[in-house]
Amino acid sequence: MRMPRLTAFVTATAVFVSALAAQAAEEVHVLNWKGYGADEPWAVANFEKATGFKVVNDFFNSEQEMLTKLRTNPGLYDVVMINAAFNDQAMAGKLIQSIDVSKLSNYADIAKDKAGSPMLNHDGKVYGVPWVWGLTAVAINEKSFDKPPTSIAEMWDPAHKGRVIIRDDAVEAVQFGAIASGQNINDIKDMEAVKAKLTSLMPQIKTFWSSENDWNQMVASNQIDIGTYWSGSADRAKTHFKLPVSLVIPQEGAVAWLDAFSIPVGSKNVAGAEAFINYMIDPKFYVEWVTKVGAPVSANTKAVEALPEDAFNRKVMGNPEVAKRIQFQAPITDEQREKYLALWQELKVNVK
């Protein structure tokens, strides 16, 4: 018996749609920082081989861009990397969902203070899996120093005029100014002191950086002496790119951050997202990442313990004396963010 044309068309369409859905279910869409471990070609290849899922990366250059992409593309992403200080904002906006950490075999080895962070846990549910943590500290061009400086004040030394670099990020800049003026980054009492400190730094500035590539190119061409930099990026610059870069954790302190993975609301492949997150917190991946490229500090205690005893992320970043000097970023309000942005834009006008 011949099938009526309409019925045949509907059936064929249903089969086609089902096939597309099955294909999509095998993809894990990740919203990510570019060049930051989770998108390393060898890591993606290893994950895909081990799990059968295919990774599709999309990238952002700031937390605000990341939040915008989540808002404007509901259901597109399965995994998103979020600075823990922005996790509350994502959750309040109903952009991320709770995670069943019982599905993550490596979660049990996450450091208790990181796993229990109030920024990642709400009402007994987990909204972010700690991945790595690090610092926004000071990095130097080794060619410009006989010995590494110990104070943040080095950036204001007239000897470095026109050879200082700072990240173009309002929140980070204001928090850096808070440390330079002896204040708590999460409880700034004297914004005028911060403004004065940053204002006096502007004549020193060569340019502002937004990506690792910006910073690395400036030091490779010997255009800078010193600047703010991420600890993991400084490690990569030295280990992977063989640049004359050293990280300095000033006696005044440094800004610390915690990056985590979350699952967006509307994820079409939660199982794939769980597999991806579990792979990224696996000690085997982390050690390979540190060895091949350079990385921040894993939130997984077994991963850190697997490093050589003299490794920077174990010996220096694990030093209790260093721990006393760092301040982890906490969430800030929209009002605070707007105030910081207005100040930062005002200051940048004076940099030629």
Side-chain angles (χ1 to χ4, degrees):
M1 179 178 177
R2 288 185 65 183
M3 184 179 293
R5 288 184 179 180
L6 179 60
T7 304
F9 174 76
V10 171
T11 301
T13 301
V15 170
F16 178 69
V17 170
S18 296
L20 285 179
Q23 180 182 6
E26 293 304 308
E27 294 180 342
V28 181
H29 290 255
V30 183
L31 185 54
N32 210 347
W33 282 101
K34 190 173 182 62
Y36 188 31
D39 69 324
E40 285 289 333
W42 56 267
V44 171
N46 288 347
F47 168 76
E48 291 179 341
K49 182 178 179 181
T51 65
F53 294 113
K54 177 176 174 57
V55 175
V56 179
N57 273 304
D58 188 14
F59 302 104
F60 58 88
N61 291 308
S62 69
E63 279 78 12
Q64 292 307 315
E65 183 185 359
M66 173 269 296
L67 292 170
T68 298
K69 286 195 170 190
L70 289 179
R71 291 190 193 102
T72 55
N73 299 282
L76 176 59
Y77 303 110
D78 302 302
V79 181
V80 58
M81 185 189 300
I82 304 182
N83 180 317
F86 288 81
N87 197 275
D88 278 355
Q89 193 173 349
M91 194 199 76
K94 296 182 171 53
L95 300 176
I96 55 175
Q97 60 182 291
S98 61
I99 302 170
D100 182 357
V101 294
S102 69
K103 303 284 184 65
L104 312 180
S105 59
N106 292 309
Y107 186 81
D109 298 318
I110 298 294
K112 301 307 178 189
D113 63 322
K114 306 295 187 299
S117 170
M119 294 186 288
L120 303 177
N121 296 267
H122 304 275
D123 300 323
K125 296 180 179 180
V126 177
Y127 285 84
V129 174
W131 183 43
V132 294
W133 68 272
L135 306 176
T136 299
V138 171
I140 62 169
N141 177 350
E142 294 171 347
K143 294 180 179 179
S144 303
F145 293 86
D146 293 327
K147 62 179 182 179
T150 59
S151 173
I152 205 170
E154 189 72 27
M155 290 181 64
W156 280 260
D157 189 325
H160 305 300
K161 186 173 182 178
R163 293 182 61 85
V164 176
I165 192 169
I166 188 171
R167 186 182 175 213
D168 188 9
D169 182 275
V171 174
E172 201 168 89
V174 168
Q175 292 177 338
F176 178 75
I179 288 176
S181 58
Q183 300 188 69
N184 185 324
I185 67 170
N186 298 309
D187 186 22
I188 301 174
K189 302 293 188 184
D190 190 348
M191 279 295 292
E192 286 303 314
V194 171
K195 181 178 180 178
K197 202 70 181 174
L198 291 176
T199 298
S200 65
L201 181 65
M202 292 302 105
Q204 299 285 99
I205 300 298
K206 168 72 175 178
T207 189
F208 303 99
W209 65 275
S210 297
S211 68
E212 287 189 18
N213 189 55
D214 293 343
W215 209 103
N216 291 344
Q217 285 188 341
M218 294 299 289
V219 78
S221 56
N222 198 31
Q223 295 186 60
I224 58 172
D225 294 339
I226 188 170
T228 61
Y229 208 18
W230 298 317
S231 55
S233 299
D235 187 24
R236 275 189 292 280
K238 193 176 190 70
T239 303
H240 187 60
F241 298 110
K242 310 303 180 185
L243 293 171
V245 176
S246 288
L247 186 76
V248 173
I249 304 174
Q251 60 193 20
E252 295 88 350
V255 176
W257 38 263
L258 173 63
D259 285 336
F261 284 113
S262 294
I263 299 178
V265 167
S267 165
K268 296 180 178 65
N269 191 358
V270 172
E274 292 166 346
F276 183 85
I277 294 171
N278 194 54
Y279 175 83
M280 288 298 158
I281 60 174
D282 190 292
K284 184 178 179 181
F285 158 75
Y286 179 69
V287 172
E288 190 169 1
W289 182 22
V290 171
T291 304
K292 287 183 174 180
V293 184
V297 187
S298 177
N300 186 320
T301 56
K302 285 191 175 179
V304 176
E305 289 168 1
L307 297 176
E309 289 188 8
D310 61 349
F312 180 84
N313 283 351
R314 187 171 176 181
K315 181 179 180 181
V316 178
M317 298 294 276
N319 186 331
E321 291 304 311
V322 170
K324 291 177 183 177
R325 303 205 303 269
I326 65 177
Q327 301 180 48
F328 272 91
Q329 289 178 321
I332 63 174
T333 65
D334 288 339
E335 182 182 358
Q336 286 175 305
R337 187 172 290 107
E338 289 171 6
K339 182 190 296 186
Y340 294 174
L341 182 59
L343 171 60
W344 187 232
Q345 289 176 333
E346 177 187 339
L347 292 170
K348 288 198 300 178
V349 169
N350 296 319
V351 176
K352 301 295 186 288

